[in-house]
Amino acid sequence: MIASLRLNIVTYVYGNSYIDMFERVCLRSLMQKGNVPYLLSCGYNITHLIYTTTTDAERLGKIVDKYKTDRLEFKIMTNNAVGYGRNLQKTNMIFLVESVAYCVNNPAPMFLATPDVFIGDGSLSNLISFNMKKDICIAALHVRVDRDRFLKLLDGMQGDISNGVLATVGMSVLSQSWADAFIDKDRNCSWQSGSAVQKIRDKLWAVTFRIPTVYLARLNRGDMAYFNSNCDYGHWDHSWPEYLIKEKRYKFAGSSDLFFAVELTSPENNKAHCRDNDLWNDESQNAKLHSETNRNFLAIVRGE
């Protein structure tokens, strides 16, 4: 484990549907025994920052109240400048800038915990164990799954869910942009989706994943300056990693044994167009530095 036993967890959430997913998906996964409880048993002090609107603050406070301990603090962070009816991307960007500044001024690794992402048991503590070097930021694989089918399966599962079990379940209910990304098919969407999937054998897949998300970040004042001058929430995934690579601070965790997550996706969202004659495609519409860097690596998804 790293020497400074502190962790900041950051969530941006507002609106009834996302608050429901925050409780049902995000919090459930964080509170599995190998994630937050394990870190607390190791002596960590954890602050979970929840960025929301004033409208939703009270409801979220009631949801997290039962999890509070003397070393697990929840801070409900609101910004009166944002709320319903305003531009969603602008709202997210305001929260992102504020959370980056908080994590720089209150130094500790920042774990990004979005409401619609479920991580496997042990994934959080594994990333913390790996993140030994100052200022390193770790990107990792997540698989997009069909929201409704995954929630139905999740509700029937008892206890903690290992990375291997989560991988098996997730790969069985892929969203369209992943289900159509298998490059052993002549017609696939890998060029647009940025994910190229191959099944190696039963419960073992290899993925070339162009745009992994930075889940664990050790932020510095350079990052704070970057986000203050780049007012687009999408920069976290789509531009900032290029900055990290140039700074020699970027790592990609490409094994589901170390970290695995699924992102719940509605059938209406994240559609990717298929192309014919794309057997074994290795190209992508995204030609930025971090995308071209990630094309050289295989992520391994191992089920159980």
Side-chain angles (χ1 to χ4, degrees), residues 17-300:
S17 63
Y18 277 95
I19 293 174
D20 289 341
M21 274 202 287
F22 170 67
E23 182 175 18
R24 196 173 170 187
V25 176
C26 177
L27 265 184
R28 176 177 170 181
S29 71
L30 288 174
M31 294 304 165
Q32 296 180 105
K33 66 177 183 297
N35 291 327
V36 167
Y38 176 75
L39 293 175
L40 292 173
S41 73
C42 292
Y44 270 80
N45 291 287
I46 300 174
T47 300
H48 192 156
L49 306 161
I50 300 172
Y51 288 83
T52 190
T53 62
T54 53
T55 306
D56 294 322
E58 183 178 357
R59 181 183 173 193
L60 284 161
K62 291 178 180 178
I63 289 172
V64 301
D65 189 62
K66 63 183 177 182
Y67 296 107
K68 292 179 180 177
T69 72
D70 58 341
R71 285 187 290 106
L72 176 57
E73 177 184 18
F74 291 90
K75 288 181 178 288
I76 309 296
M77 315 289 279
T78 61
N79 185 317
N80 291 329
V82 299
Y84 301 120
R86 294 181 172 87
N87 183 277
L88 181 61
Q89 285 190 332
K90 184 64 174 179
T91 300
N92 284 338
M93 194 60 210
I94 291 170
F95 287 155
L96 177 58
V97 169
E98 289 187 355
S99 60
V100 168
Y102 181 96
C103 293
V104 170
N105 295 320
N106 299 270
M110 168 186 160
F111 181 76
L112 180 64
T114 56
D116 52 357
V117 168
F118 191 102
I119 65 171
D121 185 31
S123 281
L124 174 57
S125 56
N126 287 346
L127 283 194
I128 293 289
S129 294
F130 177 75
N131 191 19
M132 302 291 288
K133 188 176 184 298
K134 184 179 180 182
D135 289 348
I136 290 298
C137 298
I138 306 173
L141 171 72
H142 65 259
V143 168
R144 282 188 176 270
V145 297
D146 181 277
R147 179 193 61 200
D148 297 336
R149 289 192 292 158
F150 180 80
L151 285 173
K152 185 176 181 180
L153 291 173
L154 181 64
D155 288 344
M157 301 174 74
Q158 302 297 318
D160 300 324
I161 301 172
S162 68
N163 287 349
V165 170
L166 183 62
T168 299
V169 172
M171 294 300 289
S172 73
V173 289
L174 294 173
S175 69
Q176 180 271 328
S177 63
W178 275 76
D180 288 339
F182 283 77
I183 58 174
D184 60 342
K185 307 295 184 184
D186 181 76
R187 179 174 174 81
N188 66 74
C189 67
S190 58
W191 178 81
Q192 187 178 59
S193 68
S195 52
V197 188
Q198 291 177 249
K199 185 171 183 177
I200 305 303
R201 54 179 169 80
D202 186 43
K203 297 182 180 180
L204 183 66
W205 299 265
V207 182
T208 302
F209 193 46
R210 294 295 195 110
I211 311 292
T213 293
V214 173
Y215 279 100
L216 191 68
R218 282 176 164 265
L219 300 163
N220 60 34
R221 296 201 174 274
D223 301 311
M224 189 162 66
Y226 178 91
F227 286 110
N228 277 325
S229 62
N230 292 274
C231 291
D232 182 350
Y233 178 72
H235 276 255
W236 183 272
D237 280 346
H238 296 285
S239 297
W240 180 53
E242 182 170 338
Y243 169 81
L244 294 175
I245 290 171
K246 292 176 179 177
E247 292 276 304
K248 300 180 180 179
R249 297 170 50 219
Y250 179 87
K251 297 288 186 182
F252 174 49
S255 168
S256 65
D257 291 345
L258 180 71
F259 179 92
F260 190 71
V262 297
E263 180 177 3
L264 280 64
T265 306
S266 69
E268 299 79 25
N269 293 333
N270 201 245
K271 294 285 190 179
H273 295 292
C274 292
R275 299 194 311 187
D276 292 320
N277 304 313
D278 257 6
L279 186 69
W280 308 121
N281 174 58
D282 194 37
E283 302 298 326
S284 172
Q285 66 175 351
N286 190 325
K288 291 184 177 180
L289 174 64
H290 58 288
S291 173
E292 290 300 294
T293 299
N294 290 322
R295 79 182 293 176
N296 297 293
F297 306 114
L298 283 179
I300 301 301

